[in-house]
Amino acid sequence: MIEIKNLRKTYGKKVALKSFSYTFEDGIYGMLGANGAGKSTLMNLLTDNVKRDSGEILYDGKEILKMGGSYLEKVGYMPQQQNLYDSFTGRRFLLYIAALKEIPRSDAALQVQRVAELVHLSSELEKRLAAYSGGMKQRLLAAAALLGEPQILIMDEPTAGLDPKERVRLRQVLAQLAHDRIIIVATHVVSDVEHVASEILLLKEGQLVDQASPAALIEKYAPGGTLEDVYLTIFGEDEA
């Protein structure tokens, strides 16, 4: 369980998160909001990539800043940016990430094969990344995040560049993994989380506007509609 209490983060005069509080348990959580809503800031705080101004983040009751590496080894993070080494093959890249995660060599090869199969990249591992399409690179980043069997999986726009079939496959993988871990997905694509998320968080200007299951949000804001209708109702077309 991750418990966030009164989390605040500013960049100069801009307030990125305002007294954000929430508790994550096992399951899939979709974070929806326009650019600047605070989604990336929250993910960077959860992965300890930026320093908070105030507030607490507790994992199973322990402050993550005091846990240090014992917390970070439980986290898998998939960034939105595709900063990859084009000269690497897919396999070499995943083995490199496995080494950074301090996965024992005796386990690394098997883990690389397992995560590659999950994202349907097994047959592409010997290709150089320069030959990968944008969608293949995105799947490779997802595989890298899954190395080490993390208990917390944080994904920033994971389906960007994926074709419709690949989007469905990734959603299926996340649904399979969610029974015993926390999965947080930040996305602009509402359909990516509508049918797999146990809870949706709606963020605007650093604040949590509302949170509930997709069905409950639809019933509240757009009866008979979809989660996309909820998004448009709350944020308007300019924010979609």
Side-chain angles (χ1 to χ4, degrees):
M1 180 173 72
I2 298 176
E3 188 176 3
I4 300 173
K5 298 180 179 179
N6 299 314
L7 197 60
R8 179 180 174 86
K9 174 62 182 176
T10 58
Y11 298 99
K13 294 183 179 180
K14 177 177 173 55
V15 180
L17 276 182
K18 305 174 184 177
S19 299
F20 184 95
S21 297
Y22 192 76
T23 298
F24 295 96
E25 298 181 336
D26 289 349
I28 301 177
Y29 297 81
M31 287 201 302
L32 299 176
N35 288 331
K39 304 189 302 297
S40 293
T41 295
L42 180 58
M43 287 186 289
N44 280 322
L45 290 167
L46 285 169
T47 53
D48 196 23
N49 283 324
V50 298
K51 185 178 179 180
R52 71 188 76 154
D53 294 348
S54 59
E56 296 177 287
I57 303 177
L58 308 176
Y59 177 72
D60 286 349
K62 299 177 183 178
E63 169 58 60
I64 67 169
L65 296 180
K66 295 181 179 179
M67 293 178 66
S70 65
Y71 166 73
L72 293 176
E73 69 184 13
K74 302 177 188 300
V75 178
Y77 176 52
M78 178 183 173
Q80 184 177 357
Q81 295 81 10
Q82 296 185 358
N83 297 321
L84 303 177
Y85 303 102
D86 282 347
S87 62
F88 279 23
T89 64
R91 188 180 303 280
R92 184 182 176 192
F93 175 77
L94 291 177
L95 287 171
Y96 169 67
I97 298 299
L100 291 179
K101 291 188 174 186
E102 299 183 347
I103 297 171
R105 281 190 174 187
S106 57
D107 296 336
L110 286 175
Q111 285 208 32
V112 164
Q113 196 62 38
R114 180 183 64 82
V115 297
E117 289 173 0
L118 281 173
V119 299
H120 298 271
L121 273 181
S122 298
S123 62
E124 312 291 344
L125 288 181
E126 307 312 324
K127 291 183 179 179
R128 292 188 184 277
L129 300 189
Y132 274 34
S133 66
M136 290 168 66
K137 289 179 178 179
Q138 201 72 359
R139 283 185 280 153
L140 188 70
L141 288 173
L146 291 167
L147 285 169
E149 301 184 1
Q151 294 304 299
I152 306 159
L153 188 58
I154 300 172
M155 312 183 85
D156 191 358
E157 301 288 351
T159 63
L162 300 187
D163 65 33
K165 289 184 178 179
E166 290 170 340
R167 287 177 183 271
V168 172
R169 287 192 193 116
L170 183 57
R171 290 201 296 264
Q172 291 172 342
V173 169
L174 296 181
Q176 292 168 9
L177 296 172
H179 69 281
D180 63 352
R181 72 195 72 204
I182 296 167
I183 301 177
I184 302 171
V185 180
T187 181
H188 287 88
V189 184
V190 176
S191 59
D192 282 346
V193 291
E194 180 169 5
H195 301 295
V196 296
S198 51
E199 193 95 351
I200 300 292
L201 284 68
L202 300 170
L203 281 77
K204 186 174 184 179
E205 297 179 351
Q207 293 182 301
L208 187 60
V209 176
D210 205 344
Q211 81 282 333
S213 69
L217 289 173
I218 291 170
E219 179 65 26
K220 182 177 181 179
Y221 293 103
T226 65
L227 194 60
E228 181 74 35
D229 296 321
V230 172
Y231 190 97
L232 293 174
T233 298
I234 294 175
F235 299 111
E237 293 189 10
D238 291 341
E239 299 283 352

